[in-house]
Amino acid sequence: MTYLVQEQLKPHGLKGISDDQIEEHWALYKGYVGNTNGLLAELAQAGAGTRHWAELKRRAGFEWNGMVLHEYYFGNLAAGVQMNRRGALAERLAHGWRTVEAWQEDFVKTGMIRGIGWAILYHDPLTDSLFNWWVSEHEVNHPAGLNPILVLDVFEHAYMVDHGAGGRSQYITAFMDNVSWGAVQQRFADSRARKAVSRFAAAA
Ligand SMILES: [Fe+2]
């Protein structure tokens, strides 16, 4: 299996996240696709049970999740898309946090947790529950069996070009202004229907 760079996911013309910033970030995403393919090919050739094979196995979660999470991230960015406040996702967010605004405040604070990683709104299709979750680096602390609905990259490389190393707060504000809610709502609908949440769907 060879994984491809998903060009259709590349956002442009965002408000407060420049095309130059996206270009720099996109190059890193392409690196994860290449490294995932390289690692899987190398693993297929490595002798099972060797130290080299074991180290590749340990490394796989970093490269794989680096690829996949960037696809969800770029796929949930587009300019000028509003959340459907009467839709199923808004209703469920309000159910979990009392109001959509309270959910967003919690999500933003999750994204401000110190360290490099991701803030992710996850859905548990078996209980219809939503969680704002912190993932360290790309692979630490994922909740097994839950589907990613909204994915926010808070590595410094996501905002260095526009805001500098201290600009995470301004960047998250800009991110929330550019969420492709149509794509996010579709992920939620798919998860609720117990279908695979596509990471290849372009932003609406
Ligand atoms: Fe990133």
Side-chain angles (χ1 to χ4, degrees), residues 25 70 153 157:
H25 203 170
H70 280 105
D153 187 342
H157 66 234

Side-chain angles (χ1 to χ4, degrees), residues 21-167:
Q21 174 67 74
I22 293 293
E23 285 295 338
E24 294 263 335
H25 203 170
W26 191 259
L28 295 176
Y29 156 59
K30 285 165 80 172
Y32 285 110
V33 177
N35 276 302
T36 296
N37 287 327
L39 185 143
L40 292 175
E42 210 177 324
L43 199 49
Q45 300 297 320
T50 62
R51 279 195 294 275
H52 178 57
W53 173 87
E55 290 311 311
L56 289 171
K57 290 265 190 195
R58 286 186 210 281
R59 183 75 183 168
F62 181 83
E63 303 294 358
W64 172 267
N65 286 294
M67 175 180 73
V68 166
L69 291 179
H70 280 105
E71 287 165 354
Y72 283 119
Y73 169 75
F74 288 122
N76 61 213
L77 280 171
V81 184
Q82 302 297 314
M83 177 191 284
N84 176 3
R85 291 303 185 111
R86 295 171 175 221
L89 177 58
E91 183 277 324
R92 204 64 194 156
L93 290 172
H95 180 267
W97 282 267
R98 280 196 314 117
T99 64
V100 171
E101 288 72 23
W103 160 76
Q104 181 162 320
E105 188 181 339
D106 186 82
F107 185 77
V108 167
K109 283 180 177 167
T110 305
M112 288 301 294
I113 288 174
R114 286 169 58 76
I116 50 174
W118 302 78
I120 302 177
L121 172 65
Y122 272 107
H123 180 243
D124 180 357
L126 299 185
T127 64
D128 199 22
S129 305
L130 289 162
F131 301 92
N132 288 332
W133 208 272
W134 172 261
V135 169
S136 291
E137 299 206 47
H138 299 317
E139 77 279 34
V140 180
N141 201 37
H142 282 284
L146 274 58
N147 292 314
I149 304 299
L150 175 64
V151 174
L152 165 61
D153 187 342
V154 296
F155 276 67
E156 287 168 0
H157 66 234
Y159 53 88
M160 276 290 288
V161 172
D162 287 339
H163 300 292

